[in-house]
Amino acid sequence: MDQILSTDLHGRVGYINLPKGKVLTPTLLPVVSPKENIFTPTELYNEYNFNLIITSAYLFYKRYGIPDGSLTIHDILKFPGNVMMDSGAYQILLYGDVDIAPIKSLEIQANLKTDIGVILDVPISSEDSHSIAKKKTLRTLERVNDALDFINSHRDIIWTLPIQGGKNLDLLQFYIERITSQNLHRYFGLFALGSVAPLMSQYDYLNLFSMIYHTRNLLPHNVPLHLFGAGHPMIFPFIVALGCDMFDSAAYILFAKEGRYITSNATYKLESLSEFPCNCPVCLKWTPKELYNADKNTIIENLAKHNLYVSLLELKKIRLAINNGRLWELLELKAKSHPHLYKAFNYIVKNSEKLFWEELTPVTKFVGLKVFDDLSTFRPELTRASRKIHEDYTPTKNKLTIYVISGYVSPIELLSKLEKKDKLSIKFMEADVALFIPFFGLVPLELAESYPFSQFVFSGVISKEKYNEIIQSSVDFVIQKGYKLITIESLEKTELCAMIKHDLLKAFEKANYTISN
Amino acid sequence: MDQILSTDLHGRVGYINLPKGKVLTPTLLPVVSPKENIFTPTELYNEYNFNLIITSAYLFYKRYGIPDGSLTIHDILKFPGNVMMDSGAYQILLYGDVDIAPIKSLEIQANLKTDIGVILDVPISSEDSHSIAKKKTLRTLERVNDALDFINSHRDIIWTLPIQGGKNLDLLQFYIERITSQNLHRYFGLFALGSVAPLMSQYDYLNLFSMIYHTRNLLPHNVPLHLFGAGHPMIFPFIVALGCDMFDSAAYILFAKEGRYITSNATYKLESLSEFPCNCPVCLKWTPKELYNADKNTIIENLAKHNLYVSLLELKKIRLAINNGRLWELLELKAKSHPHLYKAFNYIVKNSEKLFWEELTPVTKFVGLKVFDDLSTFRPELTRASRKIHEDYTPTKNKLTIYVISGYVSPIELLSKLEKKDKLSIKFMEADVALFIPFFGLVPLELAESYPFSQFVFSGVISKEKYNEIIQSSVDFVIQKGYKLITIESLEKTELCAMIKHDLLKAFEKANYTISN
């Protein structure tokens, strides 16, 4: 990354400097054909403001042979922006009718003066056994080594390191460790994760997210990460939050050819739409019925245009969410697009290092935290606060007074009422004071008016299981900090607070604590 | 409703016939001023295709006095579509500088030849005590009675019955019972719920949803229900699902005047936007920065246009969701817009009659059920199936074989594999057979291949509490149906199914059941 403007989770808004102008990331690269397109790369540049697209070295070779260097890929595509060339390895795997030698593929890309090139890896298909996947991973490693000389003599191109291993996380890890231990990644200006298309088509977002998580976690962060074949905008915010800066997609065209209309959360057959749920120029001009009755090319062209508008829109929403510190909230919302996505988001949040999510999430934000349910308690703002309190908080007394609050009224508001009462301020002096917030646990008074406790909105919806876990972790905290005497009071006269106080008392009694009144 | 095209939850897509052409519902009525507008009613008709708008009899009177009948409201507004006139009662409550007699308000509306008129009710403000609210409710009832003669002599206008009581549900109920017991509602072609603006401004969606629920539940369904002042598109799908067919909003203008930009899920200050997360003509033409630097009128006009585009879009999404049987899914998604909304949706789902949601939800759908978490188990498709199985299922044997499934693979797919095995088909003959689906409980084999069990996608995310509840309800079902002997087997060789089998066994043993193998 050449410039980072803002970050949230592992997402980052920034710029990558490329020969034909800098590119705002996270970004989507529309896939174009080197020969024929539904709408032209020039249109992509002028109408949609794309200044980075991707095309295939393999498809070029298949149609035109080895280029002689007289024309650049920009001339051929009539595209004034940046061009990335994919080696086409995956197409070779799928259709396998033409094979090109790894170095030949690099020559094609270099002769065409691509801005970003990719070495020809050996992709893994969904049917590959672990041992075949391992062989392919090793062969890709060989190809990386074989390509180094060529790369070194073509430094005007930004070269991409394909990350192999597929959904076999042990192989992915093995591959990345081999690369980093030999310091091979320094030859490359971009990392790219491949072999994900089979996962997409099977809605296997769980393995997809795990792959991206491990890749981003193991590789240096200063280099942007690309995902080959990201497909549907439904998953864009997730792959960005996991650390992808770029991804390409041909879905806008492929879906259009099948008469399919993409939305932010789903896909519809054109004929199943009574109205277009979109404000893009295509959808304001046409009704579904009119378009359905148009000729085939008109249908494909307009569906593809809409599909691209809606894909681009998702990028804008993501960048805005990162800028405004609300990427987690976008994920919680979008996870409800499909149960498989919800499953995968739950899984990756609960089975990843908390530090991964905290690392690039700002320490303070200008917007209040939205707490919906159990899932929200995994927000990095809360896990970070929890760890810091557990690690850094030092008691000054051996007594602790716990004030229970509902979470519906902010600590600031509650405390402002409290301070007037002298009786309480005496208690404040005799004992350390902490608030108990139902979705979080104990917060020392000193922190109760700072972010994220200063500003949150809580729905009150939390599972009994999570609630009990929070009660128990509060008891554990008190034991760990060596408090001898506990007082529990309620800051609000509500049934809810009375119940929480009761449950806390019970948990402390079970831990043989003396409760004073 | 004059024509109903499709229904889901309590939402319905249909037409209301009005003098200037039929109106597709659910619909939004933009609020326009009788005097001056940011953009004209003519634009609303031509650019946005609105054929029903609302304006205020009170504001008309305040500016022009009593109309002489020479011009209609359509002439004055230059609007060829249908016009609804609000009595302006709420404005009188808020600003109270001009008062008009109830009958005078009806005369204004009739003289202006409005298509839909409203009698002047006595709205309830947020500060009103219960006893004041009761007095106002009674006074509105008097005004309804007083208006009947006028209404009877002006049958060319569709008259609206305002529903009063505010968030005092006892008063709301009292009011509606008084109306229905005297059969007064037959004078009116539209019901309209008022006094909700204070709830909106306090994010009190819980009381708002309760009010709509009780109103729709107590009043005849053939008459459309209007909500005065619906405001933000974030809540549109919820109020439609609860039974509102129409609502008006001035939010598009009011927010614009405060420099606020509406999205489907939130509101932003213009200056906080790095990019416009929208594809409408305004947002494709401008960048936030350019618009922010424009003159004040340009800002307001463009923000209002965008706000209206995005509000209209929400209607399209809602109608599409109803047509496609996916309104519940839209609610689950949108509930994650704001914790207060999530709280209110959880509350109303768990504290309302299941039959209310089931009544208009189709018995079979062409789309599979998406099951995300605990909340999804309240879907009417599932509560209806559960009730029917409990009420209607008659055992044919005294033994029951329970096959545990994970919910990740459809019953149809699992059963198709099963049928080949002779051993099992014998068991099928000795005992009744039911499947145990983790998010639902027991489903007799006979129903396992019919909707909604034929087609669902399950995330696997369910709370321990809900899971235990489903296990227990399965035991209760077996006891209730009088089975003597239980066999439990797992249809899938997974750890999950083994765990479920274990938990079921434990629950049956606790209920003193003999388990055979």
Side-chain angles (χ1 to χ4, degrees):
Chain A
M1 299 290 293
D2 296 293
Q3 192 186 347
I4 290 179
L5 303 172
S6 60
T7 61
D8 204 19
L9 304 180
H10 242 274
R12 40 195 193 177
V13 173
Y15 287 106
I16 302 175
N17 294 337
L18 292 177
K20 314 288 180 302
K22 63 185 183 177
V23 173
L24 180 66
T25 63
T27 194
L28 170 75
L29 288 67
V31 175
V32 304
S33 158
K35 204 174 170 191
E36 264 184 335
N37 288 289
I38 303 280
F39 42 97
T40 63
T42 317
E43 265 179 281
L44 290 175
Y45 189 83
N46 293 330
E47 190 178 341
Y48 299 87
N49 300 317
F50 282 107
N51 72 341
L52 175 59
I53 59 174
I54 188 168
T55 190
S56 165
Y58 159 75
L59 292 179
F60 183 93
Y61 173 73
K62 202 178 147 192
R63 278 165 201 166
Y64 303 106
I66 302 284
D68 61 9
S70 61
L71 287 175
T72 71
I73 189 68
H74 312 79
D75 299 332
I76 294 163
L77 295 175
K78 299 191 180 62
F79 186 75
N82 299 286
V83 177
M84 176 171 178
M85 292 196 85
D86 181 6
S87 64
Y90 200 73
Q91 280 77 17
I92 296 174
L93 177 81
L94 284 184
Y95 312 114
D97 55 342
V98 176
D99 211 345
I100 43 176
I103 293 297
K104 193 108 336 202
S105 165
L106 300 182
E107 274 170 19
I108 297 168
Q109 298 173 48
N111 285 358
L112 289 168
K113 304 224 174 345
T114 187
D115 300 293
I116 303 177
V118 186
I119 66 168
L120 190 72
D121 57 329
V122 186
I124 294 165
S125 90
S126 56
E127 288 85 33
D128 288 343
S129 67
H130 189 275
S131 74
I132 290 182
K134 181 158 191 183
K135 273 181 202 149
K136 289 184 169 180
T137 306
L138 286 167
R139 274 181 56 208
T140 299
L141 275 171
E142 279 167 30
R143 290 191 177 181
V144 171
N145 274 293
D146 293 347
L148 297 179
D149 280 347
F150 188 94
I151 285 175
N152 246 342
S153 59
H154 293 82
R155 302 300 321 167
D156 46 336
I157 292 170
I158 292 166
W159 292 100
T160 306
L161 174 72
I163 308 296
Q164 272 307 345
K167 65 178 176 179
N168 311 278
L169 297 178
D170 60 324
L171 297 179
L172 192 83
Q173 218 153 327
F174 163 81
Y175 179 92
I176 294 174
E177 272 159 20
R178 271 296 207 48
I179 293 284
T180 51
S181 67
Q182 293 174 57
N183 239 326
L184 298 184
H185 54 282
R186 76 197 143 89
Y187 289 87
F188 298 91
L190 185 66
F191 304 142
L193 191 58
S195 304
V196 302
L199 302 180
M200 301 281 192
S201 63
Q202 294 157 29
Y203 294 90
D204 184 0
Y205 305 126
L206 203 151
N207 274 309
L208 172 67
F209 292 178
S210 294
M211 281 171 70
I212 303 172
Y213 165 71
H214 281 98
T215 303
R216 187 74 286 182
N217 213 10
L218 292 167
L219 282 167
H221 289 178
N222 59 326
V223 178
L225 178 63
H226 181 89
L227 183 73
F228 279 121
H232 201 287
M234 186 166 84
I235 66 160
F236 290 177
F238 297 92
I239 62 182
V240 168
L242 285 160
C244 290
D245 303 291
M246 298 164 47
F247 33 91
D248 62 274
S249 175
Y252 72 107
I253 288 284
L254 299 176
F255 281 53
K257 286 182 177 168
E258 295 168 355
R260 294 200 288 164
Y261 177 98
I262 293 174
T263 72
S264 176
N265 313 104
T267 311
Y268 296 87
K269 293 292 284 179
L270 176 57
E271 57 269 34
S272 75
L273 292 169
S274 47
E275 294 177 73
F276 283 134
C278 175
N279 276 330
C280 85
V282 171
C283 296
L284 290 183
K285 187 181 163 193
W286 295 83
T287 68
K289 206 176 164 186
E290 283 162 5
L291 186 57
Y292 186 72
N293 289 324
D295 65 280
K296 205 181 156 195
N297 281 344
T298 307
I299 294 176
I300 294 174
E301 188 189 325
N302 280 285
L303 282 180
K305 282 189 171 187
H306 158 80
N307 289 345
L308 195 56
Y309 268 118
V310 82
S311 300
L312 248 181
L313 178 57
E314 201 62 37
L315 267 296
K316 293 178 185 174
K317 289 181 183 173
I318 293 167
R319 289 190 296 251
L320 182 65
I322 294 173
N323 283 332
N324 290 10
R326 295 202 176 282
L327 185 56
W328 180 280
E329 283 156 29
L330 182 58
L331 299 189
E332 281 204 60
L333 186 91
K334 293 260 319 193
K336 288 276 181 125
S337 301
H338 196 284
H340 287 314
L341 200 52
Y342 192 63
K343 176 188 192 169
F345 180 49
N346 270 271
Y347 177 87
I348 198 71
V349 158
K350 293 171 187 172
N351 294 279
S352 52
E353 290 172 23
K354 293 191 167 64
L355 279 174
F356 176 80
W357 302 100
E358 293 169 21
E359 200 177 355
L360 301 185
T361 299
V363 173
T364 58
K365 292 182 175 181
F366 295 106
V367 289
L369 217 62
K370 289 179 180 165
V371 182
F372 291 96
D373 56 17
D374 288 22
L375 200 51
S376 310
T377 66
F378 289 90
R379 286 186 72 130
E381 296 90 341
L382 294 176
T383 58
R384 176 163 51 207
S386 176
R387 205 186 47 261
K388 289 208 168 179
I389 291 171
H390 276 80
E391 286 173 4
D392 300 348
Y393 182 72
T394 312
T396 62
K397 318 265 164 49
N398 63 3
K399 290 183 201 172
L400 179 69
T401 299
I402 297 172
Y403 286 103
V404 171
I405 69 171
S406 64
Y408 295 144
V409 187
S410 80
I412 293 180
E413 204 176 313
L414 287 170
L415 290 169
S416 69
K417 286 177 196 162
L418 249 198
E419 280 159 18
K420 293 167 195 160
K421 298 187 186 176
D422 293 348
K423 218 177 95 192
L424 277 162
S425 53
I426 293 167
K427 284 197 184 170
F428 278 43
M429 292 167 67
E430 283 172 1
D432 287 343
V433 177
L435 298 185
F436 178 86
I437 304 180
F439 61 83
F440 181 80
L442 293 180
V443 180
L445 187 64
E446 300 88 316
L447 299 175
E449 296 181 80
S450 63
Y451 186 84
F453 307 110
S454 50
Q455 252 186 305
F456 60 79
V457 198
F458 177 41
S459 71
V461 180
I462 202 145
S463 77
K464 196 78 191 157
E465 210 177 347
K466 175 59 73 181
Y467 169 76
N468 289 337
E469 187 188 310
I470 290 168
I471 294 266
Q472 190 53 48
S473 78
S474 301
V475 174
D476 296 343
F477 173 78
V478 167
I479 295 174
Q480 186 219 325
K481 295 295 177 191
Y483 286 110
K484 302 296 171 214
L485 209 65
I486 305 296
T487 310
I488 305 178
E489 299 199 12
S490 174
L491 266 196
E492 295 161 76
K493 286 191 184 100
T494 62
E495 269 180 51
L496 178 65
C497 285
M499 186 200 81
I500 297 171
K501 183 181 167 184
H502 170 83
D503 293 338
L504 271 174
L505 280 173
K506 246 177 43 188
F508 275 109
E509 276 164 16
K510 213 173 147 191
N512 291 318
Y513 256 86
T514 310
I515 313 289
S516 71
N517 278 307
Chain B
M1 298 291 293
D2 297 293
Q3 191 185 346
I4 290 179
L5 302 173
S6 60
T7 61
D8 203 18
L9 305 180
H10 241 276
R12 38 194 193 178
V13 172
Y15 286 106
I16 301 175
N17 294 339
L18 292 175
K20 313 288 181 300
K22 63 184 183 176
V23 173
L24 181 65
T25 62
T27 194
L28 170 74
L29 287 67
V31 175
V32 304
S33 158
K35 204 175 171 191
E36 264 185 335
N37 288 288
I38 303 283
F39 42 96
T40 64
T42 316
E43 266 178 280
L44 290 176
Y45 189 83
N46 293 330
E47 192 178 340
Y48 298 88
N49 300 317
F50 282 108
N51 72 340
L52 175 59
I53 59 175
I54 189 167
T55 191
S56 166
Y58 160 75
L59 292 178
F60 183 92
Y61 173 73
K62 203 178 148 191
R63 278 167 199 164
Y64 302 107
I66 302 283
D68 61 8
S70 61
L71 286 176
T72 71
I73 189 68
H74 312 79
D75 299 333
I76 294 163
L77 295 174
K78 298 189 180 66
F79 185 74
N82 298 286
V83 177
M84 175 172 179
M85 293 197 84
D86 183 7
S87 63
Y90 200 74
Q91 280 80 16
I92 297 173
L93 177 81
L94 285 183
Y95 312 114
D97 54 342
V98 175
D99 212 344
I100 43 176
I103 293 296
K104 193 110 332 212
S105 164
L106 300 184
E107 274 170 19
I108 297 168
Q109 297 174 48
N111 285 358
L112 288 169
K113 304 225 175 344
T114 186
D115 300 292
I116 304 177
V118 186
I119 66 169
L120 190 71
D121 57 330
V122 186
I124 294 166
S125 90
S126 55
E127 289 86 30
D128 288 343
S129 67
H130 189 273
S131 74
I132 290 182
K134 183 160 190 181
K135 273 180 202 149
K136 289 185 170 179
T137 306
L138 286 166
R139 276 181 55 209
T140 299
L141 274 170
E142 278 168 29
R143 290 191 177 181
V144 171
N145 273 293
D146 293 346
L148 297 180
D149 279 348
F150 189 93
I151 286 176
N152 246 343
S153 58
H154 293 82
R155 303 299 323 167
D156 46 336
I157 293 170
I158 292 165
W159 292 101
T160 305
L161 174 73
I163 308 297
Q164 273 307 346
K167 65 178 175 180
N168 311 279
L169 296 179
D170 60 325
L171 297 179
L172 192 83
Q173 221 153 326
F174 163 80
Y175 179 91
I176 295 174
E177 273 160 19
R178 271 296 208 46
I179 293 284
T180 51
S181 66
Q182 294 174 56
N183 239 327
L184 298 183
H185 55 282
R186 75 198 142 89
Y187 289 87
F188 299 92
L190 185 66
F191 304 142
L193 191 59
S195 303
V196 300
L199 302 179
M200 301 281 193
S201 63
Q202 294 157 29
Y203 293 90
D204 185 0
Y205 304 126
L206 203 149
N207 275 309
L208 172 68
F209 292 178
S210 294
M211 282 170 70
I212 303 173
Y213 165 70
H214 282 98
T215 303
R216 187 73 286 184
N217 214 9
L218 291 167
L219 281 167
H221 290 177
N222 59 326
V223 178
L225 178 63
H226 181 89
L227 183 74
F228 279 121
H232 200 287
M234 187 165 84
I235 65 160
F236 290 178
F238 296 92
I239 62 182
V240 168
L242 286 161
C244 291
D245 303 292
M246 297 164 48
F247 33 90
D248 62 274
S249 175
Y252 71 107
I253 289 283
L254 299 177
F255 281 52
K257 286 183 177 166
E258 295 168 356
R260 293 201 288 165
Y261 177 96
I262 293 174
T263 72
S264 176
N265 313 102
T267 310
Y268 296 86
K269 294 290 286 179
L270 176 58
E271 58 267 36
S272 75
L273 291 170
S274 47
E275 294 178 73
F276 282 134
C278 175
N279 276 330
C280 85
V282 171
C283 296
L284 289 183
K285 187 182 164 191
W286 295 84
T287 69
K289 205 176 165 184
E290 284 163 5
L291 186 57
Y292 186 72
N293 289 324
D295 66 281
K296 205 181 155 197
N297 281 343
T298 307
I299 294 176
I300 293 174
E301 187 190 326
N302 280 285
L303 282 180
K305 282 189 170 189
H306 158 80
N307 289 345
L308 195 56
Y309 268 117
V310 82
S311 300
L312 248 181
L313 178 56
E314 202 62 37
L315 267 296
K316 293 178 186 176
K317 288 181 184 172
I318 292 166
R319 290 190 295 251
L320 182 64
I322 295 173
N323 283 332
N324 290 9
R326 294 202 177 282
L327 186 56
W328 180 281
E329 282 155 30
L330 182 58
L331 300 188
E332 281 204 61
L333 186 91
K334 292 262 318 195
K336 288 278 180 125
S337 300
H338 196 285
H340 287 314
L341 200 52
Y342 192 62
K343 177 187 190 168
F345 180 50
N346 269 270
Y347 178 85
I348 198 70
V349 158
K350 293 170 188 173
N351 293 278
S352 52
E353 289 172 24
K354 294 191 166 66
L355 279 175
F356 176 80
W357 303 99
E358 293 169 20
E359 200 178 353
L360 301 186
T361 300
V363 173
T364 56
K365 292 183 174 179
F366 295 106
V367 289
L369 217 63
K370 289 179 180 166
V371 182
F372 290 98
D373 56 17
D374 289 23
L375 199 52
S376 310
T377 66
F378 290 89
R379 286 187 72 131
E381 296 90 340
L382 294 176
T383 58
R384 176 164 50 207
S386 176
R387 207 187 47 261
K388 290 210 164 179
I389 291 171
H390 276 80
E391 286 173 4
D392 300 347
Y393 182 71
T394 312
T396 62
K397 316 265 164 50
N398 63 3
K399 290 182 200 172
L400 179 69
T401 300
I402 297 172
Y403 286 102
V404 171
I405 70 171
S406 64
Y408 296 144
V409 187
S410 80
I412 293 180
E413 204 174 313
L414 288 170
L415 290 170
S416 70
K417 285 177 196 162
L418 252 196
E419 280 159 16
K420 292 167 197 159
K421 298 186 187 174
D422 293 348
K423 218 177 95 194
L424 277 162
S425 54
I426 293 166
K427 283 196 185 170
F428 277 45
M429 292 168 66
E430 284 172 359
D432 287 343
V433 176
L435 297 185
F436 178 86
I437 305 180
F439 61 82
F440 181 81
L442 293 180
V443 180
L445 187 65
E446 299 87 316
L447 299 174
E449 295 181 79
S450 64
Y451 187 85
F453 307 110
S454 51
Q455 251 187 305
F456 59 79
V457 198
F458 177 43
S459 71
V461 180
I462 201 145
S463 77
K464 195 80 191 159
E465 210 177 346
K466 175 58 76 181
Y467 169 76
N468 289 337
E469 187 189 312
I470 290 168
I471 294 266
Q472 190 52 49
S473 78
S474 301
V475 174
D476 296 344
F477 173 79
V478 167
I479 295 173
Q480 186 218 325
K481 294 295 177 192
Y483 285 110
K484 301 298 170 213
L485 208 67
I486 305 296
T487 311
I488 306 178
E489 299 199 11
S490 173
L491 266 197
E492 294 161 77
K493 286 192 183 102
T494 62
E495 271 181 49
L496 177 66
C497 285
M499 185 200 82
I500 297 171
K501 183 181 166 181
H502 170 84
D503 294 338
L504 270 173
L505 279 172
K506 246 179 41 191
F508 275 108
E509 276 164 16
K510 213 173 147 192
N512 292 317
Y513 255 86
T514 310
I515 312 288
S516 70
N517 279 306

